Amino acid sequence: MKLLMCFLMLFIPINAADNFAWVVASSCYIYQSESFDECIMSGDQALSLSHGTQLEILADDGGDFVKVKYEEFEGYIYRYYLAFSEPLQESYPVFNGSMVTESKIYDLNKSETSYIAKAGQQVYIYNGFNSKDEYTAIALVLEDGKLFYGYVKTLDVQPYGINGALITGIMVVVSCLTIIFLLLFIKKKKGSKT
């Protein structure tokens, strides 16, 4: 009988992660319903979960929210803040910008954190860059090696790419050269008629 059980265990997959999920956002809240309206409170503060926190999945209908349990709390978390298999290794995005000046870092709710982004630090700008916005969504690597998703002041971050002044300068040079060549061509045409 023991031999039969051992043999069956070779072919029956056992996956302990089926009922669990892990937080992949820097931090997130558990909500009372399938919306961002009301957070579950822990004392006088909203219950905030940090990156890597393991949660038990209570229900998942494939929608935008998953019903979870964390310690004695039950509620809903936005699906895209979760991984449904244990993260084996942190994957870092390709950086597409850098910090212009030292800046405070804000969490996903735009609340100030204790983290500081140093001038010159590379960041990944997601959700696009608009110089008219007050905050820009970024991902950056903290000193302890963890990937942090949050916001910085837009004035403190710059996307990689060609500088607008450089493009203007190139256009001015090309325009001047075009005018010079046109004048030389016209002068040559007048000279060949006589």
Side-chain angles (χ1 to χ4, degrees), residues 176-189:
C176 289
L177 288 174
T178 303
I179 292 170
I180 290 170
F181 285 127
L182 281 172
L183 291 173
L184 289 174
F185 180 75
I186 291 171
K187 185 176 182 181
K188 187 175 182 181
K189 276 283 201 189

Side-chain angles (χ1 to χ4, degrees), residues 109-165:
N109 296 310
K110 298 180 184 165
S111 299
E112 190 175 314
T113 68
S114 60
Y115 301 121
I116 300 290
K118 295 183 168 78
Q121 183 173 1
Q122 293 185 354
V123 297
Y124 173 67
I125 300 170
Y126 64 97
N127 291 344
F129 179 82
N130 184 347
S131 61
K132 295 176 184 165
D133 290 340
E134 184 178 0
Y135 296 97
T136 297
I138 54 115
L140 73 152
V141 180
L142 299 174
E143 289 181 4
D144 62 3
K146 289 185 179 176
L147 188 62
F148 186 89
Y149 288 89
Y151 289 89
V152 293
K153 297 267 184 169
T154 299
L155 295 174
D156 298 338
V157 67
Q158 177 180 352
Y160 292 150
I162 298 176
N163 186 335

Side-chain angles (χ1 to χ4, degrees), residues 3 21 41 45 52 60 66 72-73 83 132 146 149 179:
L3 182 60
M41 303 300 284
Q45 293 186 341
D60 182 7
V66 176
E72 72 271 10
F73 302 99
K132 295 176 184 165
K146 289 185 179 176
Y149 288 89
I179 292 170

Side-chain angles (χ1 to χ4, degrees), residues 39-165:
C39 295
I40 290 182
M41 303 300 284
S42 176
D44 61 344
Q45 293 186 341
L47 178 63
S48 179
L49 304 177
S50 61
H51 178 83
T53 302
Q54 183 178 351
L55 307 164
E56 182 182 352
I57 298 174
L58 299 177
D60 182 7
D61 63 2
D64 285 340
F65 287 84
V66 176
K67 187 171 185 180
V68 297
K69 181 176 182 179
Y70 172 71
E71 295 175 352
E72 72 271 10
F73 302 99
E74 290 185 14
Y76 296 86
I77 291 188
Y78 191 50
R79 162 178 299 285
Y80 305 103
Y81 292 162
L82 300 174
F84 296 95
S85 61
E86 187 170 8
L88 300 175
Q89 179 180 354
E90 191 85 50
S91 59
Y92 296 123
V94 175
F95 298 115
N96 61 0
S98 65
M99 299 304 299
V100 177
T101 60
E102 189 171 283
S103 176
K104 293 177 183 176
I105 302 174
Y106 301 85
D107 66 15
L108 295 172
N109 296 310
K110 298 180 184 165
S111 299
E112 190 175 314
T113 68
S114 60
Y115 301 121
I116 300 290
K118 295 183 168 78
Q121 183 173 1
Q122 293 185 354
V123 297
Y124 173 67
I125 300 170
Y126 64 97
N127 291 344
F129 179 82
N130 184 347
S131 61
K132 295 176 184 165
D133 290 340
E134 184 178 0
Y135 296 97
T136 297
I138 54 115
L140 73 152
V141 180
L142 299 174
E143 289 181 4
D144 62 3
K146 289 185 179 176
L147 188 62
F148 186 89
Y149 288 89
Y151 289 89
V152 293
K153 297 267 184 169
T154 299
L155 295 174
D156 298 338
V157 67
Q158 177 180 352
Y160 292 150
I162 298 176
N163 186 335

